[in-house]
Amino acid sequence: MPTLRVGIKWRGSAADAPVAAPRSTTASTTIAGVPERTFAKFTFFKLDPAWQRRDPEARAEDKREFLAACEDFAQDRALRAYSTVGTRGDTDLLLLSQSPTLEDIHTFHVVLAQSGLAKWMTTPHSYLAMTKRSPYSEAEARPEICTSERRYLFVYPFEKKREWYRLPADERQRIMSDHIEVGRRYPEIAINTAYSFGLDDQEFVVSFEADDPGQFLDLVQELRGTESSSYTHRDTPIFTCVSTSVARALDALDGAATARSAPALA
């Protein structure tokens, strides 16, 4: 699919224009080189219903501009789109953008805000996190999260009670080992944990990829009975998201195709 570059321009002076960070080719700063840590930004958008009453051609142009910004970012960085139309009342769209450099995330959202569609949107929820190695697992830190082709993504911010961090390390390991064992009983569900300490209000952003929402419901219900659950301080709001392309997620906003070579809703 060719990159579509339509109508996305920085509207300040040249001196004020955002400049992306220099692209290094070292393993520590590129996804291709498997970085030690990667930033993950979960951005939820809510559309002003008045946008749906705009002329169809104006709506199509708004979506093309938004799509062009997404495709430009996704040329060499990870970008996933999810629709929340019909699953949440306060959001319509989730973009999960990932990059080894925070400047990439910043510049992407600055450019995205210049699109016609973004001017009709608010951001009711936004979560910034990083990948890192879990202290309770032997697995290495992931260069990217949410990489499967499963149909649904379930996302929520997560915080533990301060009492948790005062427990001895071996006690926390014992409790988390039981917690992890429950998750292993649901191999069809992929679990992603990103860390937000000092970066955002929450401590973690937890996201689960699944094809069957019923299995995720059963997993969460079973986890409620674990010892680790008693140390949970916050695990809401919870977002049920439908995995899709950016074009299809945009078309779900008004039911009209983005005017590409074929209807995105077909």
Side-chain angles (χ1 to χ4, degrees):
M1 180 183 297
T3 299
L4 180 64
R5 298 175 184 271
V6 180
I8 302 296
K9 294 187 178 180
W10 180 250
R11 297 178 182 175
S13 66
D16 295 331
V19 177
R23 301 291 175 79
S24 169
T25 57
T26 62
S28 63
T29 56
T30 65
I31 288 179
V34 189
E36 182 179 355
R37 296 188 185 185
T38 302
F39 287 96
K41 179 62 163 55
F42 297 78
T43 309
F44 290 88
F45 298 93
K46 178 63 179 177
L47 183 68
D48 184 340
W51 177 82
Q52 296 173 322
R53 297 191 288 274
R54 278 168 57 82
D55 179 86
E57 292 184 4
R59 296 201 311 269
E61 179 64 17
D62 288 346
K63 290 192 289 185
R64 282 195 294 267
E65 292 183 0
F66 194 97
L67 179 61
C70 292
E71 289 186 334
D72 184 69
F73 178 85
Q75 286 187 66
D76 55 0
R77 288 150 295 198
L79 181 69
R80 297 292 298 266
Y82 304 87
S83 178
T84 56
V85 173
T87 66
R88 290 282 303 195
D90 55 348
T91 69
D92 297 309
L93 169 69
L94 163 63
L95 291 183
L96 169 56
S97 51
Q98 300 182 68
S99 175
T101 63
L102 189 56
E103 289 80 2
D104 281 351
I105 303 294
H106 164 73
T107 301
F108 170 53
H109 285 82
V110 169
V111 174
L112 198 64
Q114 299 302 304
S115 68
L117 183 60
K119 299 185 187 317
W120 295 85
M121 287 175 158
T122 59
T123 307
H125 304 280
S126 172
Y127 306 108
L128 178 65
M130 289 188 77
T131 61
K132 69 183 294 287
R133 184 173 179 173
S134 168
Y136 309 110
S137 171
E138 295 298 322
E140 296 295 328
R142 299 182 186 179
E144 296 178 34
I145 60 173
C146 303
T147 58
S148 81
E149 297 303 317
R150 291 176 175 87
R151 296 174 61 188
Y152 304 103
L153 183 73
F154 305 91
V155 182
Y156 56 87
F158 185 78
E159 297 175 29
K160 285 193 172 284
K161 296 178 180 178
R162 291 299 175 91
E163 291 84 352
W164 169 257
Y165 300 102
R166 293 198 291 270
L167 293 175
D170 58 347
E171 180 70 359
R172 282 185 275 125
Q173 180 65 65
R174 179 191 66 78
I175 295 172
M176 285 304 300
S177 294
D178 291 341
H179 179 93
I180 293 171
E181 187 59 35
V182 172
R184 287 175 176 162
R185 294 201 284 270
Y186 295 82
E188 302 86 357
I189 299 176
I191 304 173
N192 304 276
T193 301
Y195 299 77
S196 299
F197 293 93
L199 301 180
D200 209 337
D201 293 345
Q202 69 282 340
E203 295 174 350
F204 310 89
V205 181
V206 188
S207 47
F208 299 79
E209 300 162 275
D211 285 322
D212 183 356
Q215 289 183 338
F216 180 68
L217 184 153
D218 293 341
L219 169 60
V220 173
Q221 185 174 10
E222 188 169 353
L223 287 173
R224 289 292 189 271
T226 62
E227 186 176 358
S228 64
S229 181
S230 64
Y231 290 96
T232 297
H233 175 67
R234 177 171 75 108
D235 57 1
T236 57
I238 297 177
F239 304 89
T240 297
C241 313
V242 180
S243 179
T244 184
S245 67
V246 176
R248 287 177 180 269
L250 296 178
D251 290 345
L253 299 176
D254 64 350
T258 315
R260 287 186 148 266
S261 57
L265 287 179

